[in-house]
Amino acid sequence: MANNSDTRRKKVQLGDQKLKRGEGGETHQIAEDGVPTLTTKQGAPISDDQNSLRIGPRGPTAMEDFHFREKIFHFDHERIPERVVHARGFGAHGYFENYASLANVTRADLFQRPGEKTPAFVRFSTVAGNKGSADLARDVRGFAVKLYTKEGNWDIVGNNIPVFFIQDAIKFPDLIHAAKEEPDRGFPQAQTAHDNFWDFISLTPESIHMAMWIMSDRAIPRSFRFMEGFGVHTFRLVNARGKSTFVKFHWKPKLGMQSVVWNEAVKINGADPDFHRRDLWAAIQSGNFPEWELGFQLFDETFADNFAFDVLDATKLIPEEEVPIRKVGRLVLDRCVDNFFAETEQVAFCTQNIVPGVDFSNDPLLQGRNFSYLDTQLKRLGGPNFTHLPINAPKCPFATLQQDGHMTLVNPTNRANYEPNSWGGEFGGPRESPERGFQSYPSQETGPKLRIRSDTFADHYSQARQFYISQTKVEQEHITAAFTFELSKVEVPAIRSRVISHLLNVDRALAEAVAKALRLKTMPKPAEPARPPRTDLEAVQSLSILLNAHDSFEGRKLGVLTSDGVDVGVLKALRQALDKEGAILEVIAPEIGGVEASDGSWLEANQTISGGPSVLYDAIAVLVSDEAVPQLIKDPAARDFVVDAYAHSKFVAYTSSALPLLKAVLGNRELDQGFIEIKTAKEVADFLRSCCKLRFWERTSEEPRRIGG
Ligand code: HDE
């Protein structure tokens, strides 16, 4: 019988693996060469991990094989229930740095001292898809931040869209059932383009504002690094004197916002389903730490009473133009997790995790969430002691009188596990602190007990319209195309019509454009609104992605298609210019082994042409040699590389030798100003300046930047 135990020991790679040492006697489990001995969970050394124990070489497996049984038993229990929503997510560590003392508005400890850093963990996610779904689903993105403050963990469990579908938490299960895969068939997954979703939306007018947002490019972000975050609900801040100020939380990405286009999203999902997680991981690993600024929109009761909408209604936002955002600090993500499961999967965000100086509002969605998050962690993590997991434990001292339960790691060690108690000193345990402890804001609450929705929540269309007219022409075209795509996947014509009947209350031109694109035979009547939509809300710049772009290529990626004979001078100039801008260059070559450049030097490739399609890049350069062109013209992947970049309005740099490829692939289309020939360093600089605009929208839209329909 083969016994390869010698080679087997060498196979154990020490790598980054941290040696888990018991409390004593640890050294004889580690051989002299530093390689740890494989053991059972009980620490018993294992001699053979390749063969189970059996009776005779071809006989049955012995029950006494404790190593086999432990190994299989543990494997069988590796999975925990995935999150019922936001199952697919990706997390990273970092810190929040406070700019100035905010003691006048909040007593929250993390905001008291300028420059103070608070450790943070952030998990980004999609909502509808399962854990293994693709990153570029059209969906809301979760933006959940855990701040390990010196007075407890504070979780801001937000999204990348500032409003929500529903006004009352009791509708959440219905919304999510409708959005996720249909129960009889188990599909479609990670998609809202199906009957159940639009059936629910069309029967729930309060969701129309949010529907506008998810049909916009906000729902297909280029990367987590390029999206905004929102706390969504109105919260309270409370200062040391007990004065309360209402607040809405905003996260503003340092690199500005950017999205992809739908056709690109669909292709990215095939080319790299992990596009977003890879992007965040790569940025952090390379030291380009993603950053957001935290902003407060602060307002008082008088503003709340006079605002056109109810500040407790999560289907509404307060435009920045009406209540400006005050930047209070920055969030930096500078460390990837050591282990995905232990940290990203087991992190337990709870909206009710707040700290002294922050308080809830009566938003009925928030109130419902405060029940749901704690409850869901019990199911997911299997017991009440999930706070003992390192990712969930506070980093400040904590002392409770709670004890026992599954998997407890910390129990009170004092004699008294109750209070009041008369044990003094070390035996008595922790005591409450009226001065330091959390005080709920003493708002006056009275009224009859009713199942009712306030009248002040009844306007469902006005802000949907304001959102639409605040978009540039390109963005409006994308919204029209998104509605058309989604509704074309709906099989029941009556559902399509019902959605259009709502769009008629938002913007007639939009409704007509979608109806036409669907080839709807008869235009429905506008849905009966609970309250007539207002038409006096003006377009605001803050709601558009394109009007807030940063004019920068920092943090973006250029894909360079090369071949043998690639012009090494041009490539060098490109690399230098991109380095200076803080952008990344990837070399794409016919074979992964690389290419021989014009000066005979060897150039390593990052991707092959089929492995690195242009959808993975923000802009492309085609630097192939004359000799390579005939072969590339025949290669479908090389053709798609150019055609897709063209169709997705990307900037394309090229050397004159590559021109025949562009011409052959694009047929008789004119090379517009988005195509830039590069030879000199100045031309390379000009190309990069164009790339800062991110897309050459003129190619696909006649009036790319005009606001309003
Ligand atoms: Fe959530 N949501 N949610 N949600 N949510 C969950 O908690 C829920 C809502 C959000 O990365 C669940 O731990 C209800 C709004 C994020 O781990 C669950 C309602 C917003 C995450 C839950 C809402 C969010 C969740 C599932 C209606 C933006 C992922 C797993 C009232 C402000 C957190 C979990 C992470 C996760 C319930 C609505 C954001 C079931 C009942 C509005 C970012 O508890």
Side-chain angles (χ1 to χ4, degrees):
M1 215 176 310
N3 187 342
N4 50 357
S5 60
D6 288 340
T7 52
R8 222 179 293 141
R9 272 194 63 73
K10 293 207 183 78
K11 272 195 233 149
V12 181
Q13 288 292 317
L14 196 57
D16 292 335
Q17 212 180 347
K18 290 187 189 87
L19 303 185
K20 289 277 170 257
R21 292 167 190 250
E23 285 190 3
E26 62 272 343
T27 42
H28 61 268
Q29 299 288 46
I30 300 171
E32 272 167 24
D33 56 5
V35 177
T37 300
L38 186 69
T39 74
T40 64
K41 296 274 272 191
Q42 306 297 330
I46 289 164
S47 60
D48 182 345
D49 191 36
Q50 319 302 318
N51 304 293
S52 53
L53 187 67
R54 57 185 72 105
I55 316 300
R58 300 179 62 244
T61 305
M63 276 285 278
E64 74 175 56
D65 188 349
F66 59 89
H67 168 48
F68 166 77
R69 278 194 291 130
E70 182 197 76
K71 185 173 174 181
I72 296 293
F73 147 80
H74 201 278
F75 171 75
D76 290 345
H77 298 275
E78 276 179 8
R79 290 289 166 277
I80 60 173
E82 68 171 34
R83 289 163 173 82
V84 59
V85 280
H86 297 265
R88 180 163 180 85
F90 197 67
H93 295 271
Y95 59 87
F96 170 74
E97 185 176 357
N98 184 46
Y99 288 159
S101 170
L102 300 170
N104 57 339
V105 283
T106 175
R107 62 171 278 209
D109 186 71
L110 76 164
F111 295 125
Q112 302 307 300
R113 296 162 294 275
E116 178 151 322
K117 289 184 178 170
T118 300
F121 185 77
V122 179
R123 184 175 179 273
F124 299 106
S125 47
T126 53
V127 179
N130 296 335
K131 210 169 153 248
S133 54
D135 278 351
L136 261 292
R138 175 178 289 285
D139 203 348
V140 194
R141 297 299 183 286
F143 193 129
V145 182
K146 190 181 279 293
L147 295 161
Y148 303 90
T149 88
K150 289 180 178 155
E151 287 193 333
N153 290 352
W154 176 25
D155 295 353
I156 308 178
V157 196
N159 278 344
N160 76 329
I161 289 180
V163 289
F164 202 62
F165 292 99
I166 47 170
Q167 297 173 323
D168 189 318
I170 200 167
K171 297 307 297 169
F172 193 63
D174 300 292
L175 165 72
I176 299 305
H177 288 176
K180 289 192 81 135
E181 57 271 32
E182 301 196 1
D184 54 351
R185 59 206 71 182
F187 62 84
Q189 214 222 128
Q191 283 187 56
T192 51
H194 60 112
D195 288 70
N196 279 7
F197 179 73
W198 287 104
D199 189 32
F200 177 84
I201 295 292
S202 67
L203 296 170
T204 312
E206 74 206 54
S207 67
I208 298 299
H209 185 197
M210 178 70 165
M212 297 298 298
W213 281 81
I214 55 163
M215 290 303 105
S216 81
D217 295 343
R218 298 265 177 166
I220 38 174
R222 153 69 174 81
S223 140
F224 300 134
R225 298 181 293 138
F226 303 130
M227 59 185 208
E228 293 185 328
F230 303 90
V232 177
H233 314 281
T234 296
F235 290 83
R236 284 180 189 277
L237 294 178
V238 185
N239 73 11
R241 295 189 309 282
K243 181 172 177 287
S244 145
T245 311
F246 287 125
V247 63
K248 281 196 180 257
F249 300 117
H250 296 249
W251 297 104
K252 294 276 184 189
K254 187 180 156 214
L255 297 173
M257 275 185 283
Q258 188 183 335
S259 286
V260 300
V261 296
W262 176 240
N263 182 272
E264 202 181 357
V266 170
K267 291 172 177 167
I268 292 173
N269 280 339
D272 184 5
D274 302 311
F275 189 65
H276 281 164
R277 49 180 63 192
R278 193 188 305 281
D279 173 272
L280 188 69
W281 188 85
I284 297 175
Q285 294 295 81
S286 63
N288 295 313
F289 302 138
E291 212 174 300
W292 290 260
E293 280 192 301
L294 175 62
F296 286 175
Q297 262 184 316
L298 297 166
F299 54 97
D300 58 15
E301 301 268 357
T302 316
F303 173 88
D305 293 343
N306 292 311
F307 182 54
F309 304 96
D310 198 322
V311 299
L312 301 182
D313 173 359
T315 67
K316 308 295 185 307
L317 53 84
I318 304 177
E320 288 174 34
E321 285 75 359
E322 216 158 322
V323 177
I325 292 182
R326 174 170 169 192
K327 304 272 177 66
V328 301
R330 64 185 193 124
L331 171 73
V332 179
L333 297 183
D334 62 357
R335 184 162 62 87
C336 293
V337 296
D338 288 327
N339 180 272
F340 183 87
F341 185 88
E343 294 155 81
T344 307
E345 194 58 14
Q346 293 198 122
V347 66
F349 292 95
C350 293
T351 52
Q352 77 274 23
N353 288 355
I354 54 170
V355 290
V358 185
D359 208 344
F360 310 113
S361 70
N362 287 345
D363 176 342
L365 211 58
L366 177 59
Q367 299 271 322
R369 293 178 75 198
N370 285 345
F371 163 72
S372 179
Y373 287 68
L374 184 61
D375 188 49
T376 207
Q377 309 312 348
L378 189 68
K379 168 79 180 172
R380 243 171 30 83
L381 298 166
N385 289 319
F386 62 85
T387 56
H388 296 188
L389 297 169
I391 192 69
N392 293 321
K395 297 195 193 295
C396 63
F398 58 96
T400 75
L401 295 172
Q402 295 156 27
Q403 66 175 32
D404 304 354
H406 280 293
M407 311 290 169
T408 188
L409 291 178
V410 274
N411 259 352
T413 50
N414 36 287
R415 175 153 185 190
N417 53 1
Y418 59 93
E419 68 93 31
N421 66 61
S422 60
W423 297 96
E426 60 181 298
F427 301 111
R431 305 285 168 163
E432 63 212 6
S433 163
E435 302 77 42
R436 288 196 54 218
F438 181 89
Q439 305 267 8
S440 291
Y441 179 71
S443 57
Q444 290 284 346
E445 311 291 352
T446 55
K449 193 191 289 177
L450 300 165
R451 282 190 190 276
I452 200 168
R453 198 76 59 91
S454 167
D455 271 354
T456 53
F457 283 38
D459 178 343
H460 303 316
Y461 301 109
S462 304
Q463 282 204 342
R465 175 182 170 280
Q466 184 179 34
F467 175 75
Y468 185 68
I469 64 167
S470 298
Q471 306 301 310
T472 60
K473 200 83 179 113
V474 176
E475 289 166 313
Q476 289 187 341
E477 287 163 5
H478 291 175
I479 292 172
T480 307
F483 271 111
T484 306
F485 174 84
E486 297 264 319
L487 294 178
S488 70
K489 295 282 181 181
V490 166
E491 288 165 11
V492 177
I495 298 176
R496 291 182 212 142
S497 290
R498 216 157 47 225
V499 175
I500 304 288
S501 75
H502 293 290
L503 294 185
L504 282 164
N505 288 336
V506 177
D507 184 276
R508 175 160 276 277
L510 167 67
E512 282 172 355
V514 178
K516 187 168 169 228
L518 291 171
R519 226 167 160 181
L520 213 68
K521 291 203 193 76
T522 41
M523 197 64 174
K525 286 201 181 63
E528 190 66 49
R531 180 169 293 181
R534 298 171 57 154
T535 50
D536 59 335
L537 301 181
E538 285 176 5
V540 287
Q541 179 164 340
S542 58
L543 301 180
S544 152
I545 296 176
L546 295 185
L547 293 177
N548 293 286
H550 274 198
D551 201 21
S552 156
F553 203 61
E554 187 186 350
R556 273 75 173 184
K557 234 178 182 181
L558 179 75
V560 184
L561 184 60
T562 63
S563 67
D564 281 344
V566 54
D567 185 328
V568 82
V570 172
L571 190 72
K572 213 165 137 196
L574 264 179
R575 218 187 266 285
Q576 273 170 358
L578 284 166
D579 272 358
K580 222 166 120 200
E581 181 74 14
I584 296 148
L585 182 152
E586 273 195 5
V587 171
I588 299 141
E591 291 95 20
I592 197 64
V595 290
E596 190 177 343
S598 54
D599 65 349
S601 63
W602 196 257
L603 191 67
E604 298 288 334
N606 301 99
Q607 299 284 355
T608 58
I609 306 175
S610 59
S614 61
V615 293
L616 301 182
Y617 302 97
D618 297 290
I620 62 161
V622 186
L623 308 187
V624 295
S625 62
D626 301 318
E627 296 77 37
V629 164
Q631 187 55 36
L632 290 171
I633 289 174
K634 285 192 235 143
D635 179 352
R639 297 177 72 92
D640 284 352
F641 191 86
V642 175
V643 170
D644 277 345
Y646 177 86
H648 302 146
S649 307
K650 288 181 182 164
F651 287 98
V652 180
Y654 63 95
T655 45
S656 56
S657 52
L659 197 57
L661 172 64
L662 303 185
K663 291 236 156 112
V665 171
L666 296 174
N668 46 18
R669 291 187 195 95
E670 288 261 314
L671 289 194
D672 53 43
Q673 287 165 13
F675 285 82
I676 298 162
E677 187 174 338
I678 50 172
K679 192 166 173 55
T680 63
K682 184 184 168 300
E683 283 162 349
V684 166
D686 288 345
F687 167 64
L688 192 54
R689 232 187 329 279
S690 297
C691 289
C692 293
K693 296 193 190 73
L694 302 179
R695 297 287 163 113
F696 184 68
W697 294 119
E698 288 81 348
R699 189 179 297 148
T700 43
S701 175
E702 281 174 15
E703 296 170 281
R705 298 198 93 77
R706 189 166 68 85
I707 312 187

